[in-house]
Amino acid sequence: MSGTPGFNRFFKAVLIASTAMMAPGGIAIAQAQSTAQAGAVSFNIPSQSLTASLTAFARQTGIRIAYPAALTSGKSAPALRGSFTSAEALGHILAGSGLSYRFTGDRAVTIIDPSAADSGSVNASGALVLQTIDVHGSSETGWGPVGGLVAQTSATGTKTDTPLLDVPASVSVIGETEIEKRGVKNLDQALNYTSGVNTNLYGADKRYDFLAIRGFDETGMGIYRDGLQNRTYNFTGSRVEPYGMQRVEVMKGSTSTLYGLNSPGGLVNMITKRPQDQKHGEIYTTFGEDHIETGTDFGGPIDANGDWSYRVTAKWQDSKDGHDWARDDRFYIAPALTWKPTDFTTLTLLADYNKRKGANRYGIPLGSGLDPDTFLGEKQFDQNDTKEWNIGYVFDHDFGNGLKFHSNARYNDLELSNKNAYARNDVPLTHAWGRIAMQVEGELQRFSADNHLQYDASFGRFDSRTLFGVDYSRTKQEESDIRGYIAGVGNLSNPVYCSPNCVVSPSALNPPYSGDGVQTATGVYLQEELTLDERWILTLGARYDRVNSKAEALFDFAGGIFDSQEITEHALTSRAGLTFKATEELSVYGTYSESFQPVPPVPSIFGGFGVPSLSGDNKPVEGVMYEAGVKYRPTGMNALFTAAVFSLEQENAPYYVGLQRYQIGKLRTRGLELEAKAAVNELLNLTLAYSYLDSEILEDGLSAVQTNKGNRFQFIPAQTASAWVDYTIPGNDTFGDLTLGLGARFVGTRYADNANTLKLRSYTVFDAALNYQITDNASLAVNVTNLFDKKYISHVETWSAPDTLFYGDRRSIKGTLKYTW
């Protein structure tokens, strides 16, 4: 629906005032061929010049468009958002221009002016001279935005821009459209509707992005950004800002042959928003109970030739997280600049600053009967604050004749201040010294780089794609940790806090320490994708890693105790996958792959007395995976259906018995994953996911009395399922389009401990969304998480004994006003 100019100006003014930011400021349809009518494509093209809109359409559909240069000069096109056939999309883009089109081939279109056959220039022979946009294939790349709900390609699975149907692995992609539609505010929420992924591990505790993939914890090691590690070391780590990402990809299964250090579960790779070829922009405000945020995302070409383009993404948030003394304040700004000196060379500079003010949401004492929102920390003390900035680049050059070079690098600087008070497990919370006070200050600097050459060639019936690369990372971390006892809260039903005059009684069991560590990792990898008759794809990979880790710490005990440890590890990992494309719509694959994850050195006060055995054997954790799957992308529908079965084993898994670390552990998960994403038509979208996971501790090295052999993993349910459906009610030029969405997330029963002594109930949480398109450029959305305000236990802490309940987030309602241009 098109609103009046006055209303558009008013709506835009309201948003600009709320953010204190300034925004830049008859349909003729020819009969298309049947191929143009088959299959809807999701478009997200802003209102802009007609030339730019036709270029975006050509890149997204792979249709070649020809027209006289003067034909589109000075004309504009309306925004195109939603799922349309090629014919419908072209008709919408040309609306009001007086122009029409005709298909001159299966994938070729000519734009014409029905009223003037000579609108183009004429050469000496009298032929019409047309400007040509020559685009082959889809404009979507594995590093670019997803064109709607269903992704076509991914770069995470092979480090090459490969159609998802051809990747011999299970890869799930969540794009900007899905992130916005579901009102995603953190990585947990982004992954809530993805098969094989467990989120919400610690409920409302949001110190980190807690997640597991195929049963294996990936919180510290398995989170990547633009293909480069974004890991947490000990306590020093931060959370990503989803508004700064244009796609989130989950690669399930062993990944070491491409990414080096990782567990067999998989990884999450987030792609940062980058400059686009078309001018675009948005400005929004989100509001809710104790929550206000505002943000903007705009950019486009800088010069007429499009050699330079830019993008600026920014967000500010003032929010509480569950109670008055838990904050979720954020400031994020990310400028980006792209330079294309030639058609074969691209350099993109990416930078961002991310400041977050948070708090720790420790749980409620087991058996206390307290309301989950009761604050048992310490006012004016508790915080979990981070400041980080990143700067990096992405460089691509095509040498021609099939040879390409890709390089990306990033430097990260992070500061952490984590202060919290929580209940002891040996005395009541009401005791005079009934709480533990903990303060961790951390700093981290990391440099990561990945460089590779790609060579594509054809030999008769064979097509070959060879990848050779080297990556390097160096991480330096400094941390101090002080712990002691402070006064309890007195009356549980009416807590009394001691701020700002808390007296800390030092704990002899946890002497304060300060330490630092350095880890350098170098990997060399080789991958071959060999295709026979465009149907059989053999993917082979191998990688050699060398990792050196050094850590040292000074403990404030008996005049000072110093301990230092250093570990160097080498590993050769391999991968083999075979994909059979039974048809253009259906592929079947099988994969074998290996994983490698060094165990970092852990200095201890006992090590200072010459007892190195307390650090364990420091063997690298190794894993193997077998997987088979099928992928189906039906013609005539923008959809992807996938199924996978797998078996993963990991050995040398570390675990603790008191202060002693052992590495005799052997773990296994076997399971089934089903996933479907479909834009059924221009009005109906759905996302479905189901996972069955059989996890088992095969060996743990404990005595027959203590052993957990044969038990399931803690945290991990046997079954999870989710569904999201949204439907658009067209306004038909009378009202704006209204989109209604409803989602459900089921998490099955699971154990709180590896001893399987405490079983947690299953739960189902519902989410909902509403979006009203006020005008072509203005919208109002309402997103609700935990629609029915379900009260449920996500986890029970069992470190020494079951003592703390972690509840999931309660209902949250947020409204968003947005204006796009």
Side-chain angles (χ1 to χ4, degrees), residues 303-367:
D303 61 321
N305 294 327
D307 295 337
W308 294 87
S309 56
Y310 78 102
R311 188 167 189 169
V312 176
T313 307
K315 173 180 174 176
W316 170 86
Q317 177 174 304
D318 186 305
S319 178
K320 295 179 181 178
D321 184 21
H323 53 77
D324 289 345
W325 294 90
R327 305 297 307 174
D328 186 13
D329 300 342
R330 310 181 196 179
F331 176 70
Y332 175 84
I333 184 166
L337 180 69
T338 293
W339 178 41
K340 298 179 181 178
T342 72
D343 290 339
F344 309 102
T345 305
T346 303
L347 173 65
T348 298
L349 302 178
L350 299 168
D352 65 78
Y353 175 73
N354 188 8
K355 179 180 179 181
R356 299 177 71 121
K357 181 177 177 61
N360 303 286
R361 293 288 302 279
Y362 281 106
I364 301 298
L366 180 66

Side-chain angles (χ1 to χ4, degrees), residues 580-613:
F580 173 60
K581 300 191 73 172
T583 68
E584 288 298 315
E585 302 173 308
L586 181 70
S587 67
V588 182
Y589 70 90
T591 295
Y592 166 84
S593 61
E594 300 172 342
S595 66
F596 160 72
Q597 180 182 340
V599 175
V602 181
S604 74
I605 188 171
F606 300 99
F609 290 107
V611 192
S613 61

Side-chain angles (χ1 to χ4, degrees), residues 11-12 15-16 19 21-25 44-49 79-81 176 180 243 273-285 295-301 310-314 773 775-779 817-821:
F11 191 91
K12 188 174 180 180
L15 285 174
I16 292 174
T19 57
M21 299 180 181
M22 188 67 184
N44 187 13
I45 301 176
S47 177
Q48 56 189 337
S49 70
L80 178 66
R81 293 185 174 89
E176 277 184 86
E180 178 183 348
Y243 187 61
K273 287 180 176 178
R274 305 178 184 189
Q276 304 298 313
D277 293 331
Q278 302 88 30
K279 180 180 177 182
H280 66 92
E282 69 177 36
I283 192 168
Y284 79 91
T285 294
T296 186
D297 179 25
F298 59 90
Y310 78 102
R311 188 167 189 169
V312 176
T313 307
Q773 198 68 35
T775 71
D776 285 342
N777 303 95
S779 64
L817 285 166
K818 187 172 76 167
Y819 186 88
T820 61
W821 63 87

Side-chain angles (χ1 to χ4, degrees), residues 416-428:
L416 165 78
S417 180
N418 183 348
K419 303 176 183 179
N420 55 92
Y422 54 96
R424 294 172 61 176
N425 56 27
D426 55 342
V427 299

Side-chain angles (χ1 to χ4, degrees), residues 494-505:
N494 187 23
V496 177
Y497 306 103
C498 62
S499 298
N501 300 312
C502 295
V503 177
V504 177
S505 174

Side-chain angles (χ1 to χ4, degrees), residues 622-676:
E622 299 175 338
V624 297
M625 180 195 72
Y626 299 89
E627 178 179 342
V630 59
K631 303 178 184 181
Y632 176 56
R633 185 186 297 281
T635 300
M637 179 189 297
N638 186 20
L640 180 63
F641 303 92
T642 64
V645 293
F646 57 86
S647 176
L648 287 77
E649 285 193 13
Q650 184 187 62
E651 57 184 25
N652 299 330
Y655 63 92
Y656 288 84
V657 177
L659 295 173
Q660 178 73 52
R661 183 173 72 190
Y662 294 88
Q663 287 189 252
I664 308 173
K666 186 174 183 180
L667 312 174
R668 182 181 66 197
T669 64
R670 295 181 294 191
L672 164 70
E673 294 165 353
L674 304 175
E675 192 167 286

